[in-house]
Amino acid sequence: MQFLSPHRGKPARLGILPGSFNPPTRAHLALAEAALADLDEVVLVLPRVFPHKNYQGASFAQRGDMLRAVLEHRPRLAAAASEGGLFIEIAQEFRAAYGPNVQLVFVCGRDAAERIVGWDYGNPNAINRMLETFQLLVACREGSYEPPPHLRHHIRALALPAGLGAISASDVRRRIREGAAWQHLVPDEIVPILGKLGEIYRSPE
């Protein structure tokens, strides 16, 4: 794991927000900031390899630049690059970096929680064992998430400000491609960056 921006030393409760950040949106930022009510720090994690998609649009370096710009003046938020893309791989990297005592909490939306809990890991008990090493903090995005009864004590709900749950990076890309307004959907810090990178999103996906 490689940190892309400054981070706190030894948080007791550490939030981990993985994503493709293509590009970072106001929803990503709202999710991280909402989680700070319960956590000491949140690290936005950009995997070098995704388990379910390839790099298209912005490159790894360009996405890292955008994350650094967004987080520069937000001291309780940081960015890092992980070698693995699965939550358990990312958790292992953070455990190695922060030690055995930190409590790891993955922050995600409803869609990601459904994918994580329902993923075929090749072992039906894999998710149970994973949630013994980290918890999930799940935001309601276009619907609430109802975890399986046997996992409820590992998964908690996170409230997002009204109107932000529907924002998505895919919608930002679509708007750029179609020449529609997109600036209100991303943090102000990356509007100039996206203005220069917009050409990479104008090709059909």
Side-chain angles (χ1 to χ4, degrees):
M1 186 179 70
Q2 174 191 3
F3 282 97
L4 303 176
S5 69
H7 61 99
R8 298 166 70 90
K10 294 184 179 180
R13 287 174 53 77
L14 178 67
I16 303 170
L17 173 52
S20 54
F21 304 109
N22 186 31
T25 68
R26 288 188 180 275
H28 290 128
L29 185 56
L31 190 57
E33 290 182 328
L36 288 175
D38 189 54
L39 304 170
D40 300 316
E41 180 182 19
V42 175
V43 181
L44 284 69
V45 179
L46 179 62
R48 295 185 185 277
V49 178
F50 299 116
H52 57 285
K53 65 177 75 173
N54 297 318
Y55 266 93
Q56 295 179 337
S59 67
F60 172 85
Q62 290 167 333
R63 299 182 202 193
D65 288 343
M66 287 190 280
L67 285 174
R68 276 188 288 268
V70 171
L71 304 181
E72 182 178 3
H73 300 296
R74 294 178 169 91
R76 293 178 63 197
L77 300 179
S82 64
E83 298 302 322
L86 296 176
F87 273 32
I88 188 59
E89 296 171 334
I90 297 172
Q92 290 167 348
E93 293 181 44
F94 271 83
R95 185 65 67 195
Y98 281 87
N101 297 322
V102 64
Q103 185 176 3
L104 301 179
V105 181
F106 277 82
V107 183
C108 62
R110 174 197 54 80
D111 49 347
E114 291 175 346
R115 187 168 60 245
I116 295 153
V117 172
W119 190 272
D120 182 7
Y121 297 97
N123 184 325
N125 295 318
I127 187 62
N128 303 59
R129 290 201 299 270
M130 283 185 214
L131 291 179
E132 292 174 359
T133 64
F134 60 78
Q135 296 179 346
L136 290 181
L137 194 55
V138 183
C140 298
R141 290 195 62 196
E142 299 180 312
S144 60
Y145 175 64
E146 185 64 30
H150 67 290
L151 298 178
R152 283 178 184 163
H153 58 296
H154 296 297
I155 302 174
R156 291 179 296 117
L158 174 65
L160 274 183
L164 289 173
I167 295 176
S168 68
S170 60
D171 188 37
V172 175
R173 297 195 302 270
R174 179 188 61 79
R175 287 169 174 265
I176 293 175
R177 190 167 60 249
E178 295 177 356
W182 53 268
Q183 291 85 346
H184 61 294
L185 301 179
V186 302
D188 292 339
E189 294 88 347
I190 66 168
V191 169
I193 299 174
L194 273 179
K196 295 177 181 178
L197 296 180
E199 195 61 38
I200 65 176
Y201 292 126
R202 292 197 175 98
S203 300
E205 296 186 349

